[in-house]
Amino acid sequence: MFRLRRSLESKEGRNIGPVPPWVLEVFAGLRTAGYQAYLVGGCVRDRLLGREPKDWDIATNARPDEVQRLFERTAPTGLKYGTVTVLAPPGVKPPRVEVTTFRRDIGTEDQRHPATVEYGDNIEEDLARRDFTINAMAWNPQEGQIVDPWGGHADLKRRIVRAVGEPRQRFREDALRMLRAVRLAAELGFRLEGRTRAAIRKQAADVDRLSRERVRDELLRILASPDPQWALWELEDLQMLFRILPELRPARNFPQGKPGVPTLLDHLIRTAQYCPPDPVLRLAGLLHDVAKPATVQLTGEGVHFHGHEVKGAEMAAGAARRLRLSRAQVERIESLVRMHMFQAATVTRKGLRRWLGEHGQEWVRQLIALRRADNRASGLPADQPDPWLDRLEDELEEVLHEGAVLRVQDLALRGREVMEILGVPAGPQVGAALRFLHERVLEDPSLNTREKLAALLAEYARGLPGATG
Ligand code: ATP
Ligand code: MG
């Protein structure tokens, strides 16, 4: 009987797949020192799903100071929460393992209500304070035994996200779990369990109290997931979407009038879905037409949205700033939304070079990707060729290939030389001359030599008011 049980457990253990040797070393280090230790949380979940874990977590009854003493290289990343990062020797993967002392209660992690951490003695208590059943499993790789008091393995097979314990209470403790539920489901292609879902809908208003940084992290992960479309509609249905992005509320019932795309919100969510999985690009996609309801005009010739891209850029940047995106991310979203109405047929090589100089190559690719997503989200078939966008992409490759000078600071003449040739002191005249040269070089990159630029500059000086020559 005993033998049979052991063999079943080790079979289950083998199913979890290989654990990196260095993670096993940390585990064995704790065990040899007489402590309990388990792999826990996301890595167990991912391994059982046959996915590569993002990071490896170990739970133990050793206290943080004991963990620090046990291993040579550690970092006190989350001492407040009982977490010590154990660092691998250089070059070894994974580079770190998080070792966390068993806890009784996670409390609320919101910065405004710092959690009081109470250490626990056993893994069961530790699992009970975790958020979802599929995140509340532990695994002992030595014995090949899974500790799964909440039925996480069964929920993995049913592909559902279910709160550990009483959902309403768990979401009251930490409202971020409501967003984590949707994010986790979007990443894994799971659905929310019924009672968990109902509890979120009841308590959705609590997301207003979360720190914006925590909301941002979950929203960006939702957007980067394979299924943002499902997740965004789920957020809408659960009454959370417009709390996070109130700018989208007017789109909810704003008619789009395209086959299969009844409302503007349908169009925006689809655009996000059809963008490549870069979360910032997808946020730009989600917000690109956000100002249509605010700019709509009905004239004799039909419906117009004059300036919606300008107003929309402002609104999108405001949303991104509120969500504490970085300055570079805010600028990216702002410029993509502002430029999303570009006419591919009218973009010249000079225009392309200017874009490359101002925004860089990734931006240009994203702008084109946004347009393709926008078209598809308006009901065009995914495989419908767009000759103008195709031409633009070809020209982009060619322009990149010519290695042209794209920015003022890359001109073959520097400001100092311009001052000498023109015989003027430092000042606005120098900038104006450099901009003149830049324009000419954008038109014809072969002009970017010292001799040719100097000649151009002499010509330019003769045209200046007050020129004597
Ligand atoms: P991934 O690393 O892929 O994002 P993960 O499940 O490891 O997934 P983490 O944020 O690294 O997610 O958290 C590690 C574990 O800590 C989770 O699996 C879960 O058990 C627990 N956990 C994290 N955040 C919370 C929370 N807000 N409430 C309760 N438990 C949590
Ligand atoms: Mg993790």
Side-chain angles (χ1 to χ4, degrees):
M1 190 59 204
F2 176 75
R3 286 173 68 99
L4 179 64
R5 206 170 140 236
R6 293 280 307 183
S7 78
L8 277 179
E9 281 175 347
S10 61
K11 193 160 152 238
E12 186 99 292
R14 268 204 305 278
N15 283 345
I16 207 165
V19 176
W22 184 71
V23 177
L24 287 179
E25 238 174 78
V26 177
F27 169 84
L30 287 159
R31 286 274 166 157
T32 311
Y35 298 109
Q36 303 174 46
Y38 296 89
L39 292 174
V40 73
C43 62
V44 179
R45 175 198 72 216
D46 288 344
R47 263 286 173 252
L48 287 170
L49 287 169
R51 297 163 67 105
E52 198 47 45
K54 253 185 53 206
D55 40 43
W56 295 86
D57 294 300
I58 289 178
T60 180
N61 63 339
R63 298 296 191 256
D65 56 311
E66 298 169 319
V67 176
Q68 282 174 308
R69 244 178 285 134
L70 215 49
F71 298 97
E72 224 165 277
R73 300 177 65 227
T74 63
T77 24
L79 275 190
K80 195 156 76 132
Y81 302 114
T83 301
V84 173
T85 298
V86 180
L87 299 161
V92 172
K93 293 224 156 115
R96 67 185 68 87
V97 173
E98 308 265 306
V99 179
T100 305
T101 306
F102 294 153
R103 276 153 40 179
R104 287 220 166 83
D105 186 12
I106 200 166
T108 124
E109 278 189 341
D110 193 318
Q111 277 96 332
R112 287 166 224 188
H113 316 99
T116 45
V117 173
E118 206 184 302
Y119 295 129
D121 316 309
N122 62 66
I123 185 67
E124 282 79 12
E125 272 179 335
D126 186 79
L127 294 175
R129 58 94 185 166
R130 290 173 184 269
D131 48 8
F132 304 109
T133 63
I134 58 173
N135 284 348
M137 290 181 276
W139 190 57
N140 175 339
Q142 240 160 29
E143 288 158 24
Q145 173 212 355
I146 291 179
V147 185
D148 179 18
W150 300 96
H153 202 175
D155 286 343
L156 271 187
K157 289 181 182 148
R158 290 145 80 176
R159 307 177 71 77
I160 55 174
V161 175
R162 179 203 304 271
V164 166
E166 181 50 48
R168 297 197 56 180
Q169 190 198 327
R170 303 316 308 283
F171 296 132
R172 252 198 307 276
E173 287 166 9
D174 182 2
L176 190 77
R177 293 173 186 155
M178 301 192 288
L179 288 175
R180 280 178 60 90
V182 176
R183 185 264 286 175
L184 201 56
E187 287 181 338
L188 300 175
F190 283 24
R191 294 299 172 254
L192 303 193
E193 178 270 333
R195 285 186 60 232
T196 299
R197 202 167 181 282
I200 294 177
R201 212 208 240 102
K202 273 222 172 73
Q203 280 161 239
D206 289 349
V207 300
D208 290 348
R209 297 209 301 262
L210 289 170
S211 82
R212 287 166 177 176
E213 289 78 4
R214 296 180 87 199
V215 172
R216 169 199 62 203
D217 291 348
E218 296 302 325
L219 178 65
L220 293 182
R221 285 187 69 168
I222 283 171
L223 289 168
S225 78
D227 204 354
Q229 175 162 268
W230 170 81
L232 290 164
W233 280 116
E234 187 73 343
L235 289 177
E236 198 274 331
D237 196 54
L238 294 174
Q239 320 286 316
M240 292 192 286
L241 183 63
F242 303 142
R243 293 185 179 280
I244 300 171
L245 288 168
E247 292 82 1
L248 288 175
R249 191 186 290 278
R252 179 70 184 90
N253 293 314
F254 195 80
Q256 183 76 1
K258 297 265 168 62
V261 195
T263 70
L264 178 59
L265 190 60
D266 286 280
H267 173 64
L268 293 174
I269 288 179
R270 277 172 179 241
T271 305
Q273 172 85 19
Y274 299 148
C275 283
D278 175 289
V280 174
L281 170 60
R282 281 183 166 172
L283 188 53
L286 182 63
L287 296 170
H288 77 281
D289 276 345
V290 73
K292 276 194 166 179
T295 55
V296 63
Q297 278 180 318
L298 201 57
T299 68
E301 291 130 56
V303 186
H304 293 282
F305 306 98
H306 285 306
H308 80 275
E309 68 278 23
V310 176
K311 172 92 180 143
E314 207 178 284
M315 290 171 72
R321 238 177 259 122
R322 187 185 61 242
L323 284 164
R324 304 285 191 267
L325 270 72
S326 72
R327 182 193 291 250
Q329 290 171 326
V330 172
E331 274 170 17
R332 173 64 55 101
I333 289 169
E334 201 269 341
S335 56
L336 286 172
V337 173
R338 185 163 32 81
M339 293 303 295
H340 84 267
M341 296 292 285
F342 78 98
Q343 293 286 322
T346 64
V347 179
T348 59
R349 280 176 185 248
K350 179 178 180 187
L352 260 181
R353 292 186 195 110
R354 191 196 303 280
W355 276 355
L356 286 169
E358 271 174 29
H359 303 287
Q361 126 169 224
E362 189 195 46
W363 181 91
V364 179
R365 292 191 195 283
Q366 290 195 334
L367 186 66
I368 295 172
L370 173 59
R371 169 57 59 80
R372 290 196 193 276
D374 189 358
N375 289 345
R376 193 173 159 204
S378 303
L380 290 186
D383 53 4
Q384 172 126 333
D386 185 320
W388 290 110
L389 287 177
D390 294 345
R391 178 206 63 105
L392 194 60
E393 268 175 351
D394 290 346
E395 288 206 339
L396 174 63
E397 296 311 321
E398 288 168 26
V399 166
L400 286 171
H401 215 74
E402 72 193 17
V405 161
L406 304 166
R407 300 173 309 164
V408 176
Q409 55 265 50
D410 299 327
L411 288 171
L413 278 189
R414 308 251 133 207
R416 175 170 301 283
E417 295 162 296
V418 169
M419 281 151 60
E420 274 167 25
I421 294 170
L422 292 183
V424 298
Q429 279 175 300
V430 181
L434 283 169
R435 276 195 298 282
F436 161 80
L437 294 177
H438 185 226
E439 286 299 312
R440 299 298 306 271
V441 168
L442 286 175
E443 273 158 28
D444 179 359
S446 75
L447 293 174
N448 191 38
T449 66
R450 291 171 61 92
E451 295 70 34
K452 288 183 184 163
L453 292 186
L456 275 175
L457 205 52
E459 201 180 295
Y460 168 81
R462 280 196 293 277
L464 286 179
T468 54

